[in-house]
Amino acid sequence: MGENLCIPDEEIKSTMDKRVDVYIWDMDETLILLKSLLNGTYAEAFDGLKDVQKGVEIGKMWEKHILDLCDGCFFYEQIENYNKPFLGALSEYDDGKDLSDYDFGQDGLGLPSDDDNKRKLAYMHRVIAQKYEKGLHNLFDQETMKLWNELYDITDKYTDGWLSSARAFLEQCSSGKTDTTSTASADGMVDSTDSTYQHVNVLVTSGSLIPSLVKCLLFRLDNLITHENVYSSWEEGKIQCFQWIKERFSSSNVRFCVIGDGWEECEAAKTMRWPFVKIDLRPGSSHRFPGLTLRTVGYYFSVVYDSPGAENDKD
């Protein structure tokens, strides 16, 4: 109780006279590939054309880098058991204290979940947000960045461009254009060439929050999805996260579309009466990367929002 579970955003609300398209993304096996590499299902879909073991080895390398970065830079060992749905969930407990000399290793974060411990966790979330905004290139040396970049390129080659294609599509969704290089603003919103339209990418992942933020950094998504727009449904569930997002972008001019591969986001989208685009790992599918297009996503938008009786929910 008392936690700030809905982020009021005056900047977002002030732009609601424009039409806003909100793309709500799943992470694993949608924007990135990881679980399907580790368990071999990605390679197996190619009926022997892909080396299953190579995919497993690539997945294990990513898994190691993600965990090392979580523990070494993002306090994950200390806060693993205190997952929150987004970094701003405890912002009301952050008193703005200067943390430049603060010793996080000795602050005694633990139980009970009282105001004192919530404040300590809010401090950590503030530092995590600052590191996310800086980006990995401002936190690590060139040798480390080269190692991560090489693994990204190896993975992209093995997956026939899934990572780079998904990222390029994310850019297209940000601008509504078919070829662009976009950077999300502080509130995650991007103006299109037409000043009456805006676009925003939101991530709702079933994984815990800190590893999900680290994945965004390692897989080069951080300049397209701001930390304010990363949600973990680990405890709360995707329906609850979707409801928070709907409240945050509350306007009759907003359209939502969910893109993912799992049953939970599918059912949550149905509950919210939002279009759902299901990602399919199988080669040859048009609902994968490369393959998915803005035209296809636009069709899903039109089915829900342009059909007679389509809801512009205000309920």
Side-chain angles (χ1 to χ4, degrees):
M1 297 293 290
E3 295 181 9
N4 180 20
L5 292 177
C6 181
I7 307 173
D9 193 326
E10 296 306 321
E11 291 185 35
I12 289 177
K13 293 183 184 300
S14 69
T15 61
M16 287 300 127
D17 56 327
K18 300 182 178 184
R19 199 189 83 184
V20 179
D21 285 344
V22 180
Y23 300 87
I24 302 174
W25 294 89
D26 183 34
M27 171 75 90
D28 289 329
E29 280 52 63
T30 298
L31 288 175
I32 71 169
L33 296 175
L34 183 56
K35 292 178 183 177
S36 62
L37 296 180
L38 287 165
N39 62 25
T41 55
Y42 173 79
E44 288 167 0
F46 286 81
D47 293 327
L49 297 177
K50 293 281 186 184
D51 184 338
V52 175
Q53 187 56 37
K54 182 177 180 180
V56 173
E57 290 171 0
I58 289 172
K60 287 181 178 178
M61 285 189 283
W62 277 117
E63 196 172 46
K64 181 180 186 303
H65 288 312
I66 291 165
L67 291 175
D68 286 349
L69 191 54
C70 283
D71 292 340
C73 196
F74 291 92
F75 310 116
Y76 191 53
E77 280 187 292
Q78 294 164 263
I79 65 177
E80 180 178 3
N81 296 322
Y82 307 102
N83 187 63
K84 296 297 174 184
F86 49 87
L87 284 182
L90 298 177
S91 59
E92 66 185 281
Y93 296 95
D94 188 341
D95 56 15
K97 177 179 179 178
D98 182 0
L99 302 177
S100 54
D101 295 321
Y102 189 86
D103 188 350
F104 286 100
Q106 300 296 323
D107 71 350
L109 174 68
L111 296 174
S113 182
D114 54 17
D115 287 2
D116 184 51
N117 278 305
K118 287 177 180 176
R119 184 176 65 254
K120 293 172 184 176
L121 187 54
Y123 287 165
M124 290 185 178
H125 284 177
R126 192 205 319 166
V127 173
I128 289 168
Q130 291 168 349
K131 290 181 177 180
Y132 187 96
E133 290 172 354
K134 287 181 179 178
L136 294 181
H137 63 285
N138 288 317
L139 298 173
F140 293 93
D141 57 33
Q142 290 185 352
E143 184 176 346
T144 302
M145 292 302 301
K146 181 181 178 183
L147 178 67
W148 289 332
N149 288 336
E150 287 176 349
L151 180 56
Y152 183 98
D153 292 340
I154 290 170
T155 310
D156 203 41
K157 182 177 180 180
Y158 177 78
T159 61
D160 304 320
W162 187 292
L163 301 183
S164 57
S165 177
R167 191 184 185 285
F169 188 80
L170 201 64
E171 290 181 331
Q172 292 171 23
C173 289
S174 294
S175 68
K177 296 169 63 179
T178 56
D179 58 336
T180 184
T181 300
S182 304
T183 301
S185 63
D187 58 13
M189 304 190 77
V190 180
D191 282 314
S192 70
T193 310
D194 183 344
S195 61
T196 63
Y197 287 76
Q198 287 186 313
H199 308 269
V200 58
N201 290 306
V202 178
L203 182 69
V204 180
T205 172
S206 57
S208 54
L209 183 62
I210 304 308
S212 299
L213 290 163
V214 167
K215 288 178 184 178
C216 284
L217 289 163
L218 286 172
F219 287 93
R220 306 177 183 177
L221 304 176
D222 53 302
N223 69 330
L224 293 165
I225 303 175
T226 65
H227 64 77
E228 294 94 344
N229 290 342
V230 177
Y231 290 77
S232 166
S233 64
W234 183 266
E235 285 96 2
E236 304 292 345
K238 295 211 170 184
I239 292 178
Q240 177 62 79
C241 289
F242 287 5
Q243 289 172 341
W244 288 330
I245 293 165
K246 181 183 175 183
E247 292 170 13
R248 183 179 167 201
F249 297 92
S250 178
S251 170
S252 61
N253 296 330
V254 179
R255 307 190 308 173
F256 300 91
C257 184
V258 181
I259 306 172
D261 75 307
W263 66 268
E264 187 183 4
E265 56 262 27
C266 177
E267 291 303 312
K270 287 181 180 178
T271 299
M272 303 299 291
R273 290 157 58 183
W274 294 345
F276 175 69
V277 181
K278 181 172 175 56
I279 296 297
D280 184 356
L281 290 178
R282 293 174 297 178
S285 169
S286 61
H287 287 56
R288 70 191 303 277
F289 296 110
L292 189 64
T293 66
L294 277 180
R295 181 183 295 273
T296 299
V297 174
Y299 167 78
Y300 283 86
F301 268 123
S302 66
V303 167
V304 172
Y305 291 99
D306 296 340
S307 61
E311 62 109 12
N312 270 327
D313 257 328
K314 294 183 182 179
D315 299 339

